[in-house]
Amino acid sequence: MTESPATKAANGEVAAGLHAKNGLRPDRNGFSKSLLCCHEWPPKTNHGQRQDEEEVHTVSHNGSLYKRPFVESFEETPMLVAVLTYMGYGILTIFGYLRDFLRHWKIEKCYIAREREEQKDFVPLYQDFENFYTRNLYMRIRDNWNRPICSVPGAKMDLMERVSPDYNWTFELTGRVVKDVINLGSYNYLGFAENTGLCADAAAKVTMTYGVGVASTRQEIGNLDRHEEMEKLTARFLGVESAMAFGMGFATNSMNIPALTGKGCLILSDELNHASLVLGARLSGSTIRVFKHNNMQSLEKLLREAIVHGQPRTHRPWKKILIVVEGIYSMEGSIVRLPEIVALKKHYRAYLYLDEAHSIGALGQRGRGVVDYFGLDPCDVDVMMGTFTKSFSAAGGYIAGKRELIQYLRSHSHSAVYATSMSPPVVEQIITSMKCIMGEDGTTIGSDRVRQLAENTVYFRTRLQEMGFIIYGNDDSPVVPMMLYMPAKIGAFGREMLKRNIGVVVVGFPATPIIESRARFCISAAHSKNMLDRALSAISEVGDLLQLKYSRHRKQPRSFDDDIYDDIDD
Amino acid sequence: MFQEKNAMASGQQWVLVEMVQAFYEAPAYHLILEGILILWIIRLLFSKTYKLHETYKLTEKEKEDLIEEWQPEPLVPPLSKDQPPLSYDVVTGPPSHKIIINGKECINFASFNFLGLLDNERVKEKALASLKKYGVGTCGPRGFYGTFDVHLELESRLAKFMKTEEAIIYSYGFATIASAIPAYSKRGDIIFVDEAACFSIQKGLQASRSFIKYFKHNDMEDLERLLKEQELEDQKNPRKARVTRKFIVVEGLYINTADICPLPELVKLKYKYKVRIFLEESMSFGVLGENGRGVTEHFGVNMDDIDLISANMENAVASIGGFCCGRSFVIDHQRLSGQGYCFSASLPPMLAAAAIEALNIMEEDPDIFTVLREKCKHVYKALQGIPGLKLAGVPFSPALHLQLERSSGSRVSDMQLLRSIVDHCLERNVALTLARYLEKEERFLPPPSIRLVVTIKQKDEDIQKAVSCIKEAASVLLKQ
């Protein structure tokens, strides 16, 4: 648990999903004083008040840094809901112990796989409490995850029906197929998950000429011409000098950060960074310090302290400082405050590693990710990382940046030396879909999809807010987390939605703080308005059924009059 | 005794009275002096000898100066003039038996395509059919609508093939064992590992943050010595020993040395010292054993005696990805704890479909393993006695290492020598490769070598040609 309801409550009534106009609340933008002095940005009033607001709600506009409104909201958890959620976990825990007791005395039948008889006297492979949560909480609602599908993971998908005869300990496929489930779960932002069309045809052709495997590494004998072409295209797409691709998005982070930093280097990492970034940082052997999510004051404080004090104990200056952030945070739906981070990194001479796993293709007018979204120069980001899994509907990841960086990685990346190179049809899918986004296929399909995604996102988010749900994140983020809070509602929401033929993703602890269980919708350009409307009405229905409309700041449908701003101008 | 105690008590009382009296009688300056002394002592006791804060506190100005002063190292070291940037060989077209490297068509002795399944028509057709049904990407991790029916099929097929209860697939070969190890072994646990273990095992060990104890390559005595040491340690601290998990991590066929691990002895040690065995079989799966099940089948060891077997599907299977298999009790844990499984997009269904078809071929025709073994033996024999080069590995290993008999003194020049042999062979249409390592990252850097891969597609004349090319190159380039 990272945030307690008590700290959130402090922010009171003003924090809500309210929009503000440019320059209205300069004090909320997380910019710190020193930087403003150094660069002589327009002086600000009301500085340094109530830091805790940062976590909860951010409406920020800094005329010189943000070209467009940057609206991000994290409405605080209502106190009653928080209390009830804790109670829910309490009751679950008590029953968990009770059932463990019953299982222990063989009163209740136990389905857990057991250690071999021959190895009973070995040190237990798992500690008992490690599995308490899995056994007693996760197992009850396990049917909401790993649902097998048997079609393209497009706007609609076919699910294989499964039943559990023993309360989710095992599943059996019934052989029936639940057809045309609206897919709000896959990261198919630009709708390139297709089995027909240009991309699929190109991939099919390559499959027949090249086969699917490579059976060697890039440095040895697995460097195909297709790989080289894809990398050149990626570099052109991103507007940087050079790029290199890797076979797995997760490994792109965990195997390349260690090539960039080592002992005596400092990594400043956002607290909500993805597991792959955390693993990469840990494997690198660098010192890791964590700053509060998207909080520029916290980041600047760490930067200043790091440079002034140097390494712990030896007080030698750090060799280099790498700031590691993501473009869109997949569980919060927030967008990184890139303009401010770029300013900070320039001032403090740190390096910036930007993971665009979710944002590449999904943000920006031209679909070039968060850099494009803010209208920044890609050269300001030292290491651009992203994945091909999501918007491009392929697999793998890339790292892009200056020529020297990529040259260095080509000889030092763990992946280039030890891991099998990417499968040719997957590479072809990337090439074709990327060309489509760039408009190089001679059509406007790509740019239409980018625009469609932005429209769908705004529409979906606005409607959910109007209904009174608590929605986290940035207004432009196609990742839409909707708060459920209580553990029982995780399972209920997922099941009720499936009954209405809508596939959603629900997440709880440990992927989120313990009381902040949520549902997450991923909007796609492939969703038609009709589909979104169907989904929205189903969500609203289930929301009423499960009492999920927690928001105390329900947005009035389409009324952005100026009066509301007076209230928050404290 | 009672009296004695009484006397002592009265004695003490008397001293106290006398002290008070002395206090009254003492001159004032004496008292003041003593008072000051006492205060001084108290001050000495409670004050710090130096003022930490005064030396530490920096003014804003000083801080700004420090920040101004700080010059970080460049993100990556600048390219040095004398060492040109590494350029990869470019392969045009499929990397199958015939491979076009830098525009030259060669016979492939370098890709790990042991069974020649890479350009197998059946495999391609199945992959294509899957592509037509599912598209390319999965757009999600296994948990969030990234589980396809093909994945479930592949998992059950792998489990059946390996005769284990359960299998789990990863989307990247390298990430398989690297994720599996830290799923079980945590801080405080102990892992015994062979010095020649491959890089992905090393990364897994590092991610686990456990105590790592390296034993000499394939040296069971050394391993037993370490195990005994640990047993003594455990006897000293049985409470800690009860919660310290112990693992042995070995490879079936070592990619770095082309040796086989002595599995039967390892199993004996396992039960003697109650240590679990993780076996990485990327080189031996689909190669060793009657039916290609790997080292366990080769030695006739019971599958259940090995706690976890991991392998990639990128070599013999000629697809992408990897898998772990074993008992459900062990494997199922990775579905929530294997980082590379939970947090990564799942394997593209067409690659899974290709792997299923490869398994079909392997099951239908187990003779291919015999053919491969014969080829390996043939190549092994043919490569004996090349002047200046020595062959490392066992005769049935499909990936052999040719090392220099005598080092020229430095690794760089050794590598250059070997590279010139590879180039010489490339000129004559034989594709070989240097075994590549990250020299600064490897725990125990293997000696420089040329890796030569045997596949069932290589005909006798191909092998003869390759061997004569290498011999020729060695005699030209290695004369000392």
mmCIF file of all heavy atoms in Angstrom, chain B residues 97-111:
data_model
loop_
_atom_site.group_PDB
_atom_site.id
_atom_site.type_symbol
_atom_site.label_atom_id
_atom_site.label_comp_id
_atom_site.label_asym_id
_atom_site.label_seq_id
_atom_site.Cartn_x
_atom_site.Cartn_y
_atom_site.Cartn_z
ATOM 1 N N HIS B 97 19.275 -24.365 -44.517
ATOM 2 C CA HIS B 97 20.495 -25.113 -44.846
ATOM 3 C C HIS B 97 21.428 -24.319 -45.760
ATOM 4 O O HIS B 97 22.631 -24.247 -45.554
ATOM 5 C CB HIS B 97 20.113 -26.444 -45.493
ATOM 6 C CG HIS B 97 21.294 -27.235 -45.951
ATOM 7 N ND1 HIS B 97 22.326 -27.545 -45.090
ATOM 8 C CD2 HIS B 97 21.620 -27.755 -47.158
ATOM 9 C CE1 HIS B 97 23.238 -28.228 -45.758
ATOM 10 N NE2 HIS B 97 22.836 -28.367 -47.007
ATOM 11 N N LYS B 98 20.840 -23.742 -46.822
ATOM 12 C CA LYS B 98 21.617 -22.818 -47.653
ATOM 13 C C LYS B 98 21.320 -21.417 -47.146
ATOM 14 O O LYS B 98 20.162 -21.047 -46.991
ATOM 15 C CB LYS B 98 21.180 -22.923 -49.115
ATOM 16 C CG LYS B 98 21.513 -24.256 -49.750
ATOM 17 C CD LYS B 98 22.886 -24.238 -50.376
ATOM 18 C CE LYS B 98 23.105 -25.522 -51.139
ATOM 19 N NZ LYS B 98 24.403 -26.084 -51.068
ATOM 20 N N ILE B 99 22.347 -20.658 -46.890
ATOM 21 C CA ILE B 99 22.120 -19.337 -46.309
ATOM 22 C C ILE B 99 22.941 -18.315 -47.099
ATOM 23 O O ILE B 99 24.069 -18.607 -47.509
ATOM 24 C CB ILE B 99 22.494 -19.345 -44.805
ATOM 25 C CG1 ILE B 99 22.197 -18.011 -44.153
ATOM 26 C CG2 ILE B 99 23.930 -19.757 -44.569
ATOM 27 C CD1 ILE B 99 22.298 -18.054 -42.635
ATOM 28 N N ILE B 100 22.345 -17.163 -47.357
ATOM 29 C CA ILE B 100 23.065 -16.135 -48.117
ATOM 30 C C ILE B 100 23.585 -15.086 -47.140
ATOM 31 O O ILE B 100 22.813 -14.318 -46.566
ATOM 32 C CB ILE B 100 22.154 -15.488 -49.175
ATOM 33 C CG1 ILE B 100 21.633 -16.571 -50.125
ATOM 34 C CG2 ILE B 100 22.920 -14.422 -49.944
ATOM 35 C CD1 ILE B 100 20.528 -16.114 -51.026
ATOM 36 N N ILE B 101 24.893 -15.110 -46.912
ATOM 37 C CA ILE B 101 25.491 -14.169 -45.979
ATOM 38 C C ILE B 101 26.270 -13.132 -46.762
ATOM 39 O O ILE B 101 27.148 -13.474 -47.554
ATOM 40 C CB ILE B 101 26.440 -14.889 -45.012
ATOM 41 C CG1 ILE B 101 25.674 -15.972 -44.257
ATOM 42 C CG2 ILE B 101 27.049 -13.910 -44.026
ATOM 43 C CD1 ILE B 101 26.538 -16.776 -43.368
ATOM 44 N N ASN B 102 25.977 -11.894 -46.512
ATOM 45 C CA ASN B 102 26.618 -10.784 -47.223
ATOM 46 C C ASN B 102 26.658 -11.052 -48.730
ATOM 47 O O ASN B 102 27.660 -10.832 -49.394
ATOM 48 C CB ASN B 102 28.044 -10.551 -46.690
ATOM 49 C CG ASN B 102 28.034 -10.236 -45.207
ATOM 50 O OD1 ASN B 102 27.050 -9.707 -44.689
ATOM 51 N ND2 ASN B 102 29.103 -10.562 -44.518
ATOM 52 N N GLY B 103 25.581 -11.585 -49.231
ATOM 53 C CA GLY B 103 25.465 -11.799 -50.674
ATOM 54 C C GLY B 103 26.071 -13.091 -51.182
ATOM 55 O O GLY B 103 26.074 -13.363 -52.378
ATOM 56 N N LYS B 104 26.603 -13.897 -50.277
ATOM 57 C CA LYS B 104 27.261 -15.121 -50.715
ATOM 58 C C LYS B 104 26.494 -16.339 -50.211
ATOM 59 O O LYS B 104 26.204 -16.433 -49.020
ATOM 60 C CB LYS B 104 28.674 -15.142 -50.137
ATOM 61 C CG LYS B 104 29.619 -15.992 -50.939
ATOM 62 C CD LYS B 104 31.061 -15.653 -50.592
ATOM 63 C CE LYS B 104 32.010 -16.545 -51.345
ATOM 64 N NZ LYS B 104 32.091 -16.285 -52.772
ATOM 65 N N GLU B 105 26.184 -17.250 -51.108
ATOM 66 C CA GLU B 105 25.426 -18.418 -50.665
ATOM 67 C C GLU B 105 26.354 -19.445 -50.028
ATOM 68 O O GLU B 105 27.358 -19.843 -50.617
ATOM 69 C CB GLU B 105 24.686 -19.052 -51.831
ATOM 70 C CG GLU B 105 23.650 -20.043 -51.332
ATOM 71 C CD GLU B 105 22.952 -20.804 -52.453
ATOM 72 O OE1 GLU B 105 23.604 -21.673 -53.074
ATOM 73 O OE2 GLU B 105 21.773 -20.543 -52.675
ATOM 74 N N CYS B 106 26.017 -19.854 -48.831
ATOM 75 C CA CYS B 106 26.882 -20.781 -48.088
ATOM 76 C C CYS B 106 26.074 -21.957 -47.560
ATOM 77 O O CYS B 106 24.846 -21.911 -47.490
ATOM 78 C CB CYS B 106 27.497 -20.080 -46.894
ATOM 79 S SG CYS B 106 28.395 -18.598 -47.298
ATOM 80 N N ILE B 107 26.804 -22.998 -47.163
ATOM 81 C CA ILE B 107 26.170 -24.084 -46.426
ATOM 82 C C ILE B 107 26.199 -23.675 -44.963
ATOM 83 O O ILE B 107 27.226 -23.230 -44.443
ATOM 84 C CB ILE B 107 26.949 -25.400 -46.582
ATOM 85 C CG1 ILE B 107 27.260 -25.645 -48.058
ATOM 86 C CG2 ILE B 107 26.158 -26.559 -46.008
ATOM 87 C CD1 ILE B 107 28.341 -26.667 -48.252
ATOM 88 N N ASN B 108 25.051 -23.848 -44.309
ATOM 89 C CA ASN B 108 24.918 -23.312 -42.963
ATOM 90 C C ASN B 108 25.475 -24.267 -41.904
ATOM 91 O O ASN B 108 24.920 -25.344 -41.675
ATOM 92 C CB ASN B 108 23.431 -23.027 -42.705
ATOM 93 C CG ASN B 108 23.220 -22.170 -41.491
ATOM 94 O OD1 ASN B 108 24.100 -22.053 -40.662
ATOM 95 N ND2 ASN B 108 22.046 -21.588 -41.394
ATOM 96 N N PHE B 109 26.556 -23.870 -41.288
ATOM 97 C CA PHE B 109 27.099 -24.622 -40.149
ATOM 98 C C PHE B 109 27.058 -23.770 -38.886
ATOM 99 O O PHE B 109 27.886 -23.915 -38.012
ATOM 100 C CB PHE B 109 28.545 -25.054 -40.432
ATOM 101 C CG PHE B 109 28.651 -26.288 -41.267
ATOM 102 C CD1 PHE B 109 28.714 -26.208 -42.649
ATOM 103 C CD2 PHE B 109 28.644 -27.549 -40.681
ATOM 104 C CE1 PHE B 109 28.802 -27.349 -43.423
ATOM 105 C CE2 PHE B 109 28.744 -28.695 -41.448
ATOM 106 C CZ PHE B 109 28.813 -28.598 -42.825
ATOM 107 N N ALA B 110 26.106 -22.840 -38.831
ATOM 108 C CA ALA B 110 26.113 -21.911 -37.712
ATOM 109 C C ALA B 110 24.769 -21.738 -37.016
ATOM 110 O O ALA B 110 24.731 -21.445 -35.839
ATOM 111 C CB ALA B 110 26.617 -20.547 -38.183
ATOM 112 N N SER B 111 23.645 -21.883 -37.718
ATOM 113 C CA SER B 111 22.346 -21.713 -37.057
ATOM 114 C C SER B 111 21.992 -22.986 -36.294
ATOM 115 O O SER B 111 22.246 -24.082 -36.786
ATOM 116 C CB SER B 111 21.251 -21.433 -38.083
ATOM 117 O OG SER B 111 21.599 -20.350 -38.889
#
